[in-house]
Amino acid sequence: MTRTMEWAARGDHMRGIPRKMVIMAVGAFAKAVANFLNTTTVHNGDKLINLVRSRPPGVPLITVSNHMSTLDDPVMWGFKGFPISDSNLARWALAAEDICFKNPLLTYFFRTGKCIPITRGGGIYQEHMNEALERLSDGEWLHTFPEGKVSQEDAPIRRLKWGTASLIVRSPVTPIVLPIVHRGFEEVMPESFLFGRRPPFPLCNKRINIVIGEPMEFNLPKMTQMAISMSRNLHNPTRGWPVLSPSGLDEAAQRCLYTSISEQIHASMESLRSLSKKLSGATSLNSGQVEE
């Protein structure tokens, strides 16, 4: 399978000028929506900024968050103090192919904006997941929405898809994983506003609350052995997944391992969601500032 407009996603495409222009324009838009049109409060923002700017060389970063609207990315990176307009530091993101890559113009825009097309329902071994792995191999920052789609209900974090867990396991260098939970984007860009459709522009005078957690650590060798042990008595239908090397994980063991990792991420995100509800109701927060 040919990767969608992969040449436009390369850093050397036209000397990187299109990428810089797109990242700067999107960054300006995100900052305007987050800071001028609305009020954004960030808890533990310095943790994210430090990991984006100065994590160990060659170590990739995966941020994971809930998915409240089609504007979550990029506006969640528009808070004060975050280097959103730096094309070298900007995140790579997994983006839904049926929404962001509908035609050549949109495809070029999102590709130069460091987005990787993902076919929802296409499985964890679809071709563009290999591209995401290549970016992790380069020590890059990748953002994912492990819930898989937008949900604007004030409800617990949904069951996470296995794609993010598979990237953590398959990455040549184990990435730093940073959970994030936010509230308010469902009011800035509601799914049903005018005749059951989204508004043409972001809404104003809303409160956005972003809570950034602590880096998660996974003891993958230990978790792998546990997954192999747990999988011996499982007899689920197979999907033809390849055996992972060098660990030798077959499909049943992979399922156990991905489930275990996803459950840990889910628990961390749910804890942040509870904290977010408390913080969003607190009057002592300073609007538009990065909270310690």
Side-chain angles (χ1 to χ4, degrees):
M1 176 181 175
T2 303
R3 296 182 184 178
T4 304
M5 211 178 283
E6 184 181 16
W7 50 269
R10 295 173 183 162
D12 59 357
H13 168 56
M14 295 182 65
R15 299 184 179 181
I17 295 175
R19 175 182 288 183
K20 291 179 181 178
M21 292 177 63
V22 168
I23 296 296
M24 289 181 65
V26 171
F29 167 79
K31 284 189 174 294
V33 174
N35 301 305
F36 297 107
L37 300 181
N38 297 283
T39 301
T40 299
T41 302
V42 183
H43 175 78
N44 204 27
D46 286 342
K47 181 67 66 174
L48 173 63
I49 293 173
N50 290 337
L51 286 174
V52 168
R53 286 190 179 277
S54 58
R55 62 185 177 277
V59 176
L61 170 66
I62 293 181
T63 50
V64 296
S65 76
N66 57 327
H67 204 1
M68 297 295 286
S69 80
T70 54
L71 279 186
D72 296 354
D73 181 295
V75 178
M76 65 187 297
W77 318 120
F79 64 86
K80 293 180 181 179
F82 190 82
I84 190 173
S85 297
D86 189 326
S87 62
N88 293 319
L89 297 179
R91 90 291 171 266
W92 288 86
L94 302 184
E97 189 172 39
D98 60 322
I99 295 177
C100 302
F101 302 86
K102 292 180 178 180
N103 57 56
L105 182 60
L106 279 177
T107 298
Y108 184 78
F109 175 80
F110 282 101
R111 282 307 237 161
T112 54
K114 301 176 76 170
C115 292
I116 300 172
I118 293 296
T119 302
R120 289 186 285 194
I124 64 175
Y125 283 102
Q126 59 182 284
E127 176 60 31
H128 283 291
M129 289 292 278
N130 292 327
E131 183 179 348
L133 282 172
E134 290 170 8
R135 301 291 76 78
L136 294 175
S137 299
D138 295 336
E140 297 276 7
W141 166 27
L142 176 72
H143 183 71
T144 74
F145 296 103
E147 292 178 292
K149 61 182 180 179
V150 169
S151 175
Q152 300 197 326
E153 298 178 1
D154 185 11
I157 303 295
R158 291 166 296 169
R159 175 187 173 276
L160 305 187
K161 306 294 185 181
W162 286 338
T164 300
S166 75
L167 291 174
I168 294 170
V169 172
R170 295 160 62 197
S171 175
V173 178
T174 301
I176 298 170
V177 179
L178 189 70
I180 302 171
V181 166
H182 49 74
R183 301 170 63 86
F185 287 114
E186 72 281 7
E187 297 182 4
V188 176
M189 183 57 68
E191 288 289 292
S192 298
F193 182 69
L194 292 172
F195 306 106
R197 301 176 66 88
R198 304 182 193 103
F201 303 102
L203 303 185
C204 306
N205 299 318
K206 308 298 182 182
R207 293 187 62 84
I208 300 168
N209 186 9
I210 302 171
V211 179
I212 298 167
E214 295 297 323
M216 300 184 66
E217 297 182 2
F218 298 96
N219 188 338
L220 290 183
K222 181 178 179 180
M223 296 179 72
T224 297
Q225 292 305 312
M226 291 180 62
I228 292 173
S229 177
M230 292 171 59
S231 68
R232 286 172 182 156
N233 297 322
L234 297 180
H235 303 284
N236 294 328
T238 62
R239 303 181 183 181
W241 292 356
V243 174
L244 292 185
S245 60
S247 59
L249 283 174
D250 61 15
E251 184 170 330
Q254 289 179 58
R255 288 170 178 263
C256 290
L257 181 55
Y258 299 158
T259 298
S260 178
I261 292 173
S262 296
E263 287 176 348
Q264 288 189 35
I265 296 174
H266 183 279
S268 179
M269 292 177 66
E270 188 58 34
S271 176
L272 291 180
R273 191 183 78 90
S274 298
L275 177 59
S276 175
K277 294 186 72 172
K278 294 178 182 178
L279 292 176
S280 63
T283 58
S284 60
L285 291 178
N286 296 317
S287 299
Q289 299 298 316
V290 177
E291 298 293 327
E292 299 298 332

